[in-house]
Amino acid sequence: MDRINTEFELRGVNHVALVCADMRRTVDFYQGVLGMPLIKTIELPNGWGQHFFFDVGGGNALAFFWFPDAPDAVPGISNPKTVPDQGELVSAVASMNHIAFDVAPERIEEYRDKLVAKGVEVGMILNHDDSDFGVAPGWTEDVYVRSLYFKDPDGVLVEFAGWTRALDRPGDVGHEPRTAADRNV
């Protein structure tokens, strides 16, 4: 199985940029609650807003724009209405559904407890596997990633996820990609 990009030498994700309603609240959450160092702040020209960057480890960053005239989020369109285990996961085409930060899978319970202690509403721990529903009741050899979901103050769906095995089993890549014609709209 060849997994080398022969077109571009990509080194990972430099940053993902989201939009927030309140930069101070965003800094308080990502730096204060999640502990991500604020590494760069930019005041955009012409009163267009701000652009701030947080270090998420591994040379990667999470960025936020604050625009004074940004429209409000519309849950179920711009972002999912709830965390996956509490309802819906759907969001609109071209929206960002969620951001997942890589964590050690054996620390998921500890991190859930820490978030709850900080007052963050957190979904249940999910052990993702290839069963019909896609979630196992516990951590087994068939679980490929363990995760938990929560939302930031603007409703951005955030996930802590930890791979539990290499993704190299015969069934790991085997689904035919769906097309726009398959949509229910």
Side-chain angles (χ1 to χ4, degrees):
M1 181 180 302
D2 188 13
R3 292 181 176 211
I4 297 172
N5 184 334
T6 59
E7 298 297 318
F8 302 96
E9 185 182 339
L10 303 179
R11 301 181 304 179
V13 175
N14 181 283
H15 69 276
V16 171
L18 306 174
V19 178
C20 67
D22 183 319
M23 191 63 86
R24 167 59 48 212
R25 185 177 65 182
T26 297
V27 170
D28 290 347
F29 183 79
Y30 285 92
Q31 183 173 279
V33 174
L34 298 185
M36 296 178 184
L38 184 61
I39 57 173
K40 179 68 177 168
T41 64
I42 301 166
E43 197 70 32
L44 299 174
N46 302 318
W48 290 340
Q50 295 182 315
H51 194 31
F52 283 24
F53 293 78
F54 298 89
D55 184 338
V56 299
N60 304 301
L62 177 64
F64 283 89
F65 281 104
W66 173 84
F67 300 120
D69 55 356
D72 288 337
V74 182
I77 296 175
S78 57
N79 56 304
K81 288 181 181 177
T82 64
V83 296
D85 63 280
Q86 295 175 5
E88 295 186 32
L89 182 60
V90 176
S91 61
V93 171
S95 67
M96 189 202 74
N97 187 271
H98 69 279
I99 180 115
F101 297 108
D102 188 40
V103 299
E106 63 275 4
R107 298 192 75 181
I108 292 283
E109 286 85 1
E110 171 193 349
Y111 290 171
R112 185 181 192 287
D113 292 345
K114 277 185 169 182
L115 288 167
V116 168
K118 291 176 180 240
V120 177
E121 186 179 328
V122 183
M124 59 190 274
I125 294 171
L126 300 175
N127 295 291
H128 303 271
D129 68 359
D130 291 319
S131 65
D132 288 341
F133 189 65
V135 178
W139 189 355
T140 70
E141 66 181 34
D142 293 326
V143 170
Y144 56 89
V145 67
R146 301 187 78 217
S147 72
L148 61 92
Y149 293 87
F150 53 97
K151 288 193 165 201
D152 85 352
D154 284 306
V156 171
L157 186 58
V158 180
E159 178 183 20
F160 282 175
W163 299 113
T164 61
R165 65 171 178 81
L167 299 178
D168 58 3
R169 293 185 182 174
D172 283 341
V173 177
H175 299 88
E176 188 64 31
R178 302 286 179 100
T179 70
D182 297 321
R183 294 181 63 217
N184 295 326
V185 288

